[in-house]
Amino acid sequence: MREHIRNFVIIAHVDHGKSTLADRMLELTGTVDARHMKPQYLDQLDLERERGITIKMAPVRMHWRPSRGFARIGNTADERGLGAPPIDADNASGKLLYEELTYKIRRALFNVFNFLGPGHKELVYQNSLAVEFRKENILFEREKRIDVVYEGTKVGLYQPDFVVEGKVIVELKSLPFLGDPPKKQTRYYLKGSEYKLALLVNFGGKNLEIERIIYDSIRENPSSNPHKSANSYSIRENQRVDQRESAQVEYEFNLIDTPGHSDFQYEVSRALHAVEGAVLLVDVTKGIQAQTLANYRNAVKAGLTIIGAVNKIDLLESRIGADGKLIFADEKAQRCVQDLANLIRVQPEEIFQVSGKTGAGVIELLDAIVERVPPPGTADMPSRALIFDSLYDDHKGILAYVRVFSGEFRAGDEVSLAQGGTKFKIKEVGYFAPQHTPTDALRAGGTGYIATGFKEPKLVKIGDTIIRADIRRFSSQINADGIRENPRVNPRESAIAIPGYQEATPVVFISFYPDGKTKFDDLKRGFERLQLTDAALSFEPDSNEALGRGLKVGFLGQLHFEITASRLAREFNAAFITSFPSIAYRVGEKGTFRIVKDAHEFPASPDEVYQPMIKMEILFPAEYMSAVMGLKNLFYLDIQTIETIGDNSVVGARMPLSELIRDFDDQLKSGSAGYASFSYELDGEDKADVKKLEILVAEEVVPALTRIVANRDVEYEARKTVERLKELLDRQQFSQAIQARVDGRILARETIPAMKKALGDFGKNGGDRTRKMKLWKKQERGKERLESSARARVNLPVEVFREILKK
């Protein structure tokens, strides 16, 4: 049912713990067994694990019962236990509640007792058990504040020593023996809470005592309705359900984990239009960063419900306040919570405090997602699904990752693509568990995949809409704006071709040429496959006299290029050479304008040149203001605004896009000791003062080394390039002139002298100087012939290109 579906993303700045938080959610919902869990579980690329960053968005379906833990997952409602009673406590069949988990806890308890023995204080055993839990990868919370509830009313607080994986309470004692009072006390606390099982442990006796205490409302009150429980929680007015029945409802969570780096903002934008809610995560030790602001604004534009959370609370000393929230000893962390609350316009108490590493606070966050994120809306439309990503499968063809906005899709359905009009029959439908799991149908409100059977990557376009074949008959009821005449229908879910995505705009262009055993067709095939999972990747044919046929590829930034090049080499074993990075200029000549991406096609003396500009925000601690402002001396940086967010300053600036690929990020990080971050977006164009820098070897232009350089930097770049070439090129039997030319004049020159042939000692061998002079003149004539022939065939070795094109 739609009201039991929650679609959300986790958004944050890079390295703020999105993937680690997703790991804990996978564990706590039972989606991935703890035995099979590994760090960054949703990051499937080796590069993501090596770099510790998310590159590709990762969807996954989870199931959750609020404040009760995970449910068994199956393909049908009956298998998943939808609407079924809560998990019974220990029953007559001998099946123990949380049997596997309690076995792991007992093992940890015995390890501690066997090492320490009896006689220590309770705190010693608490600290030791925490170490053992971490070693065994058991999630726990220490001294968690639990509400004691009487007939739906909070009447007190209870703080057990441990709550393990949100399911089992562990109370520690160090007494001579375990009497009835602590057993009864634990049972009554359990009765007034939402938990069913507690382990009362005594380390004080000769032997370790473990008392298993259970409480089941069905057993305690057999006459009560078996479909009700003692749990209670509140939902906002438009989502309110019976408090005693809410815990029995199983919710379907469709999570999309997103990248944090600004180069992959297009991944985030696609995810935002496939969900209704977002968890805005901030590293409490670092505070709000530039991409935090950018992601928040994009989420607001997409109309999402935003839940604020601070992560990595396990790294800080803290104490529990009167409201149950942590009070951090570090004032900077407290300000981080306040700053995040101010940003999303809520009270600080509404900011969740979590640890993706230990799992602390994650259960409360999962419950809040149920309460705060609205369920998918309804649209009176035939079956439509938005493609937000894709993947190539050797057996099933292209798998379209979709969010279904209306209707349903099944294997065998006749469907078509709204933009391209291509028709096909669905081979298979399924969901992400997180592995591809086939199912009978994908229904409105959920996410999953559709196997198209297509083998050609170009046939499936990210952002397109898959529609049922009979939707054309429905189009007669659509008005001129593409919306059906129904004011109650959400316009976002009503257009036939679902809107929301913008075409990715490449900003950096780099040519790729095959090298070694790699052929051009192999290189092209690799990019076609990568394009399936990277909607922002674009390429077109290119050629070079020295390097042969290649591809000019468009990227969203330097990191996007580095990741793509690494994937091309790893996943397809491709060897290649890349050119200098360039951008697209709009060049005017004789009253007409054209777009120029290749530097060697740039005219020598254009009438006008326009370059793309970017609008950027730089966020940094206030003490580094002078260093950031000093970047104006190195780059064409036009600072326009200066604001303050907490202890940080935010500078709004405008800069040519070409400056961004001149190590702007490195200079910013160096000047701010690594604390500054920035985000950017395209912002029109301005006139450019640039020159075409050509490199000549033996009086012949080498097109692959031609670049467009800012006028103020042209002499420096010219000198640096010819000096580098002189170091790389081998000496020949003729001299080689290396020149840098701009506007027809030579700005820099280096000469590699010819190799000299030893003529011997004529005096000792009976010769004279006349014969020696004849041989020298013969050598000179040979060198002249070699030089004239060399000018006709300038051919730099591949190794030289590889070295000179290195950053």
Side-chain angles (χ1 to χ4, degrees), residues 409-482:
F409 293 90
R410 296 176 179 269
D413 284 352
E414 294 281 351
V415 297
S416 62
L417 298 173
Q419 294 182 16
T422 306
K423 296 182 179 181
F424 63 94
K425 182 179 288 187
I426 296 177
K427 304 297 181 185
E428 180 182 284
V429 297
Y431 60 93
F432 312 103
Q435 296 78 17
H436 296 150
T437 305
T439 188
D440 60 338
L442 289 180
R443 297 180 175 85
T447 61
Y449 68 89
I450 292 177
T452 66
F454 291 143
K455 301 294 183 180
E456 290 293 328
K458 294 181 180 179
L459 294 178
V460 177
K461 189 175 183 181
I462 304 298
D464 205 346
T465 304
I466 298 179
I467 57 179
R468 286 279 290 272
D470 58 353
I471 198 172
R472 301 301 178 188
R473 295 195 298 271
F474 188 81
S475 61
S476 60
Q477 304 175 42
I478 304 297
N479 63 23
D481 297 324

Side-chain angles (χ1 to χ4, degrees), residues 105 109 122 126 129 143-144 146 158-164 168-174 178 182 185-187 189 197-203 209-211 213:
I105 296 173
L109 291 168
E122 287 182 20
Q126 284 183 17
L129 190 57
E143 298 181 343
K144 178 182 178 180
I146 298 175
Y158 167 47
Q159 288 183 260
D161 293 321
F162 294 93
V163 176
V164 180
V168 181
I169 289 175
V170 178
E171 278 283 11
L172 305 185
K173 302 294 182 181
S174 184
L178 203 56
Q185 183 184 42
T186 303
R187 185 178 178 279
Y189 276 131
L197 175 63
L199 298 180
L200 179 60
V201 185
N202 182 32
F203 286 94
E209 296 179 81
I210 302 177
E211 186 76 19
I213 301 174

Side-chain angles (χ1 to χ4, degrees), residues 335-444:
R335 288 195 297 270
C336 172
V337 174
Q338 183 66 57
D339 292 344
L340 181 56
N342 293 340
L343 177 65
I344 64 177
R345 296 180 175 86
V346 298
Q347 295 300 315
E349 300 80 44
E350 298 181 65
I351 300 299
F352 288 84
Q353 302 169 343
V354 302
S355 169
K357 182 178 180 181
T358 67
V362 179
I363 289 177
E364 289 78 3
L365 180 59
L366 290 170
D367 287 347
I369 291 169
V370 171
E371 297 174 6
R372 301 186 186 184
V373 175
T378 58
D380 186 14
M381 297 281 289
S383 302
R384 302 167 307 142
L386 182 66
I387 303 175
F388 63 82
D389 207 351
S390 63
L391 180 71
Y392 185 83
D393 185 275
D394 291 332
H395 303 289
K396 302 171 187 177
I398 298 172
L399 303 181
Y401 290 8
V402 299
R403 157 70 190 274
V404 181
F405 277 85
S406 56
E408 66 177 25
F409 293 90
R410 296 176 179 269
D413 284 352
E414 294 281 351
V415 297
S416 62
L417 298 173
Q419 294 182 16
T422 306
K423 296 182 179 181
F424 63 94
K425 182 179 288 187
I426 296 177
K427 304 297 181 185
E428 180 182 284
V429 297
Y431 60 93
F432 312 103
Q435 296 78 17
H436 296 150
T437 305
T439 188
D440 60 338
L442 289 180
R443 297 180 175 85

Side-chain angles (χ1 to χ4, degrees), residues 530-555:
L530 289 177
Q531 197 176 41
L532 272 176
T533 58
D534 192 344
L537 198 62
S538 64
F539 57 89
E540 59 188 35
D542 194 13
S543 63
N544 181 277
E545 291 183 2
L547 301 175
R549 287 199 301 167
L551 296 170
K552 179 164 285 294
V553 187
F555 299 97

Side-chain angles (χ1 to χ4, degrees), residues 261-282:
H261 196 280
S262 57
D263 274 14
F264 302 108
Q265 185 59 40
Y266 70 101
E267 291 274 347
V268 181
S269 68
R270 299 201 325 255
L272 293 180
H273 287 90
V275 298
E276 285 76 35
V279 175
L280 183 62
L281 195 65
V282 175

Side-chain angles (χ1 to χ4, degrees), residues 608-624:
E608 290 181 291
V609 178
Y610 290 87
Q611 63 182 342
M613 303 292 292
I614 58 173
K615 180 172 58 177
M616 64 193 318
E617 279 188 334
I618 309 172
L619 187 145
F620 54 92
E623 58 263 33
Y624 295 102

